[in-house]
Amino acid sequence: MTVTYVIDGSRVTGLERFWDVIGEAVNGPGGYFGRGLDSFADCLRGGMGTPDDGDFVIEWRDHTVSARALGHEETARRLRGLLGRAHPSNLPQVREELAQAEAGAGPTLFDHLLEIIRDETAPGTLRLL
């Protein structure tokens, strides 16, 4: 039986809020389902609330609201936070991505989240509504 997890995109006001919303959608109030892009990908692979057989759907309602909240401004904010923690060999890439985000160009956090979901789950798992 397919399980459906609903992301209420109108509740996503930034990346930190996204982690809360997806955690609650999958694991109930106060639930955890990653708090970083890598841990989110790990959670999607199973064992953190989703069925072991991978038979689930993520229904992202009001995804356009989330897309705005997780757009270039929020992407730039996250990248600025990474500058102080990034390995020196990664700094040029982080700086380039930050410059793009500040210019309103390049992929956004929303784009990255969609890519992770599509890469880590079966085709058709993600439904944008």
Side-chain angles (χ1 to χ4, degrees), residues 65-113:
V65 175
S66 297
R68 283 190 299 277
L70 299 168
H72 289 107
E73 184 178 328
E74 182 71 353
T75 303
R77 187 190 67 74
R78 176 181 173 269
L79 290 166
R80 281 190 291 275
L82 290 177
L83 282 175
R85 297 177 293 169
H87 188 276
S89 64
N90 291 335
L91 280 175
Q93 179 180 346
V94 173
R95 286 185 181 121
E96 173 59 28
E97 290 176 15
L98 175 57
Q100 285 185 354
E102 289 176 335
T108 65
L109 284 167
F110 183 76
D111 297 326
H112 289 302
L113 291 167

Side-chain angles (χ1 to χ4, degrees), residues 104-128:
T108 65
L109 284 167
F110 183 76
D111 297 326
H112 289 302
L113 291 167
L114 295 185
E115 180 180 23
I116 290 167
I117 294 168
R118 289 179 176 137
D119 286 350
E120 301 300 335
T121 63
T125 297
L126 178 63
R127 295 182 186 158
L128 298 174

Side-chain angles (χ1 to χ4, degrees), residues 2 8 12 21 30-31 38 60 63 72 77 82 88 107 111 113 121 124:
T2 302
D8 180 353
V12 176
V21 171
D38 291 336
W60 197 329
H63 73 280
H72 289 107
R77 187 190 67 74
L82 290 177
D111 297 326
L113 291 167
T121 63

